[in-house]
Amino acid sequence: MKSKLKSNLFILHLTVLVWGFTGVLGALISVGEAHLVWYRVLIAALSLYLYFRWKKTSIRVSKQTFYRLFFTGAIVGLHWILFFGAIKASTISVAMVCLSSLTLFTAILEPLLNSNRVSKMELVAGLFIIFGIYVIFKFETGYTKGIIMGLSSALCGSLFSIINGKQAKNRSATIISFYELIGAFVWVSVYLLVTKGFDARMILGMSDIIYLLILGTICTSVAYVAGVSVMKELSAFKVALVTNLEPIYAIILALIIFGKDEKMTSGFYLGATIILSTIFLFPVVKTRVEHKKLKKRTPFI
């Protein structure tokens, strides 16, 4: 049992590390963010389709479900365009830390969309994250565009995470991902048609092709399937803690690969520390508080 737990934790850490590598690939790929996302979702959707064929998995869903996932794909596509746009407009470190504010947006939006009470603890965590973002804005004025795009990406990520939370109760995460990828591909294609983006700017070099194949298969389809399978075996608490390491892994990878180009001001690292510490410690504090409340409610026998 212990060896299985260790094995699942190792796979989860490896999956989160691969997710963190997504930002590095975004910086290495030379095409613009919209073209990058178009290629990514195309490769990821095709590789997932091949996975379903290999596993002989039925991908049939109702029309209502298809349309819901298809339109959610528009938010997914916009989320990735803004994320890679943030990387290209600033740095991987800035984009990843801004993306961490997804926790803040979810804390505010989820209760509103589900007609629930807003948790005081989540609001306090949100205030710490806002303060961290303020510190980064104050010291990294040259990356204002990248910061705004990163925060907008986090907002979109929060929206489709909340939507997927409801969808995941009735169907597998891989099916959800597959149809959302199809939706993202169609909506990004529409965007490129409207903006006349299907042009010479889409031409890929050999290195771009290799990086996109890694991004679309290993960093998207394979990592997603591996992550989902492990999450079924581990507690939500363990998954939350390990997943929160993604921006840290990404920043470390970026520093190793890009060196000086990824070095930021002390103010940025102060703001990043406030945000990442809040996100990392939040599930720990929340679990302890809930455990104490449960103890108080449980009568002595």
Side-chain angles (χ1 to χ4, degrees), residues 6 23 34 36 48 61 71 84 88 112 114 130 139 153 165 179 186 189 193 216 228 242 250-252 275 286:
K6 285 181 180 179
L36 191 161
L48 265 183
V61 292
F71 284 105
F84 289 115
K88 293 181 182 295
L112 292 174
N114 295 331
I130 289 169
F139 286 90
S153 174
Y179 284 108
V186 172
S189 296
L193 278 170
V228 169
V242 177
I251 290 168
I252 292 168
I275 294 168
K286 188 178 180 182

Side-chain angles (χ1 to χ4, degrees), residues 39 94 108 111 135 146 170 187 196 199 210 228 240 243 263 272 282:
Y39 282 117
V94 169
I108 296 167
V135 172
N170 305 314
W187 288 110
K196 297 179 181 178
D199 54 20
I210 294 167
V228 169
T243 304
K263 284 185 179 177
F282 177 73

Side-chain angles (χ1 to χ4, degrees), residues 106-271:
T106 304
I108 296 167
L109 291 174
E110 191 169 27
L112 292 174
L113 294 174
N114 295 331
S115 301
N116 296 329
R117 285 177 61 188
V118 178
S119 165
K120 289 180 182 178
M121 197 184 303
E122 288 175 347
L123 280 177
V124 170
L127 289 172
F128 275 103
I129 292 169
I130 289 169
F131 178 65
I133 292 167
Y134 166 76
V135 172
I136 291 172
F137 255 114
K138 189 176 178 181
F139 286 90
E140 299 296 341
T141 52
Y143 295 134
T144 301
K145 183 182 176 183
I147 293 169
I148 292 169
M149 290 181 83
L151 292 173
S152 301
S153 174
L155 175 60
C156 291
S158 174
L159 281 171
F160 78 73
S161 294
I162 295 166
I163 294 167
N164 285 350
K166 292 180 179 180
Q167 291 294 320
K169 292 175 183 177
N170 305 314
R171 54 197 56 87
S172 74
T174 45
I175 293 290
I176 293 168
S177 180
F178 176 65
Y179 284 108
E180 286 182 351
L181 285 168
I182 290 173
F185 174 73
V186 172
W187 288 110
V188 175
S189 296
V190 169
Y191 170 76
L192 289 174
L193 278 170
V194 171
T195 58
K196 297 179 181 178
F198 287 109
D199 54 20
R201 290 173 297 170
M202 290 192 77
I203 297 171
L204 302 170
M206 185 52 68
S207 60
D208 286 333
I209 293 169
I210 294 167
Y211 294 144
L212 278 164
L213 285 171
I214 295 169
L215 179 64
T217 55
I218 297 171
C219 294
T220 308
S221 301
V222 175
Y224 199 90
V225 172
V228 169
S229 63
V230 168
M231 286 171 192
K232 289 178 181 177
E233 302 292 330
L234 298 172
S235 67
F237 175 73
K238 283 188 175 73
V239 171
L241 279 181
V242 177
T243 304
N244 285 337
L245 290 170
E246 183 186 349
I248 297 170
Y249 284 153
I251 290 168
I252 292 168
L253 285 168
L255 284 168
I256 292 168
I257 295 167
F258 296 105
K260 289 180 181 178
D261 292 338
E262 280 293 324
K263 284 185 179 177
M264 310 297 291
T265 63
S266 56
F268 168 82
Y269 289 114
L270 173 62

Side-chain angles (χ1 to χ4, degrees), residues 76 107 125 163 168 301:
V76 175
I163 294 167
I301 297 171

Side-chain angles (χ1 to χ4, degrees), residues 26-46:
L28 290 170
I29 296 166
S30 63
V31 295
E33 54 270 20
H35 297 126
L36 191 161
V37 173
W38 187 84
Y39 282 117
R40 179 188 188 177
V41 293
L42 174 62
I43 294 166
L46 284 173

